[in-house]
Amino acid sequence: MAQLLLDVRDLHAGYGRAEVLHGLSLQAEAGSVVTVIGPNGAGKSTLLNALMGVLPARGEIRYRGEHIARRPLEDRVLQGIALVPEIRALFASMSVQDNLQLGAYRLVREGRRDIAALLERVYALFPRLEERRAQLAGTLSGGERQMLAIGRALMGEPLLLMLDEPSLGLAPLVVRDIFRTIASLRASGVTILLVEQNARAALEVADRAYVLEMGEFALQGAAADLAGDPRVVATYLGSARPAASPG
Ligand SMILES: Nc1ncnc2c1ncn2[C@@H]1O[C@H](COP(=O)(O)OP(=O)(O)OP(=O)(O)O)[C@@H](O)[C@H]1O
Ligand SMILES: [Mg+2]
């Protein structure tokens, strides 16, 4: 078995006294794509926020072999964990390029000098952003914004990239681009934890999948197996239109 980058055991999290996650265990091998699918309100965003350290949680989070459940958010960022949240927190009054450069803040602080090369890599992944490098982020389309949000996270060279519903509200062609990007990031060795309601596309790009229902994993397994599981087909793939396939 490949090395585990992320090993979560018995994770509980919630808001005040309302527990939302009831003891989740999840593993991600280094260099793999793991997806968590599930209906609205299942706790998908809560899970990512707990892993990022935005939200307090109880249980064990092991990352690169180290226990990080009690480490603050800043520490987790420094260790290479990045979250692209559902609500895209971009600096609307800054240009595309300035937003991207801000994403490399941690590396700059560490004295890295190859930021320009990083920027070129992000532009190679998203040529659209390069065309619009001087445009204000606030004037980008929804799809371009999502690309910028992912690009900015990549500027920090994360080892673990967590994406919260990157396809939400985007047109099918843009969704296809985003999933293609996820596939090529995987090929470059980034480990990805992908939360999605677009179960079909998520299961196509992922190696492993978890179905989250009411704060518990109802099903889990190889993504290809889950894509053929009658319960998944009936609940999550049934009436969906044919995939925005990454290929
Ligand atoms: N800040 C908050 N305070 C109180 N309850 C919250 C808060 N954020 C989320 N919840 C509740 O926690 C539960 C899980 O929410 P969460 O956002 O994690 O779901 P989700 O699976 O991401 O849903 P969606 O697919 O709609 O994004 C929901 O019942 C939600 O109402
Ligand atoms: Mg959510």
Side-chain angles (χ1 to χ4, degrees):
M1 190 183 191
Q3 194 197 345
L4 284 184
L5 185 79
L6 183 67
D7 189 1
V8 179
R9 308 268 168 180
D10 197 29
L11 190 78
H12 297 256
Y15 305 91
R17 274 186 302 171
E19 187 177 272
V20 171
L21 305 180
H22 310 297
L24 299 182
S25 295
L26 168 149
Q27 284 79 40
E29 289 183 5
S32 69
V33 176
V34 172
T35 189
V36 175
I37 58 175
N40 292 121
K44 303 183 298 296
S45 298
T46 302
L47 171 61
L48 295 190
N49 286 327
L51 294 177
M52 190 71 243
V54 177
L55 201 65
R58 202 151 50 74
E60 207 175 280
I61 306 172
R62 221 185 283 190
Y63 171 73
R64 300 170 83 192
E66 286 183 40
H67 293 279
I68 62 159
R70 270 161 289 284
R71 304 254 181 95
L73 166 68
E74 304 78 54
D75 270 23
R76 301 188 205 193
V77 173
L78 288 176
Q79 295 201 36
I81 304 179
L83 169 63
V84 179
E86 202 177 320
I87 298 156
R88 290 112 209 206
L90 297 170
F91 294 93
S93 59
M94 279 169 48
S95 72
V96 166
Q97 183 142 320
D98 287 346
N99 264 286
L100 289 174
Q101 267 158 350
L102 204 65
Y105 172 75
R106 166 177 79 92
L107 302 180
V108 171
R109 219 181 52 173
E110 287 173 357
R112 284 274 293 270
R113 302 194 175 278
D114 57 343
I115 305 303
L118 265 176
L119 195 59
E120 286 318 309
R121 257 179 25 215
V122 169
Y123 282 148
L125 206 52
F126 300 113
R128 191 92 76 92
L129 292 183
E130 183 163 29
E131 287 163 25
R132 295 168 185 278
R133 64 205 303 164
Q135 189 171 326
L136 295 185
T139 64
L140 295 174
S141 75
E144 290 161 354
R145 256 179 228 224
Q146 185 59 270
M147 291 174 200
L148 180 55
I150 296 173
R152 195 171 65 178
L154 290 176
M155 287 295 291
E157 284 202 318
L159 299 174
L160 175 62
L161 179 64
M162 301 194 289
L163 301 171
D164 196 348
E165 302 211 28
S167 78
L168 192 70
L170 302 181
L173 278 179
V174 184
V175 171
R176 198 189 58 190
D177 280 353
I178 297 280
F179 278 95
R180 275 193 185 145
T181 305
I182 292 170
S184 73
L185 287 175
R186 176 188 186 281
S188 76
V190 183
T191 306
I192 295 168
L193 182 54
L194 168 70
V195 158
E196 262 297 338
Q197 281 191 57
N198 186 339
R200 190 177 295 272
L203 290 174
E204 264 178 33
V205 79
D207 300 288
R208 208 179 154 68
Y210 294 81
V211 178
L212 185 61
E213 289 174 354
M214 296 194 297
E216 293 178 32
F217 287 136
L219 291 167
Q220 57 181 283
D225 292 343
L226 283 198
D229 184 297
R231 286 164 294 179
V232 174
V233 172
T235 312
Y236 298 103
L237 303 176
S239 61
R241 83 175 95 70
S245 94

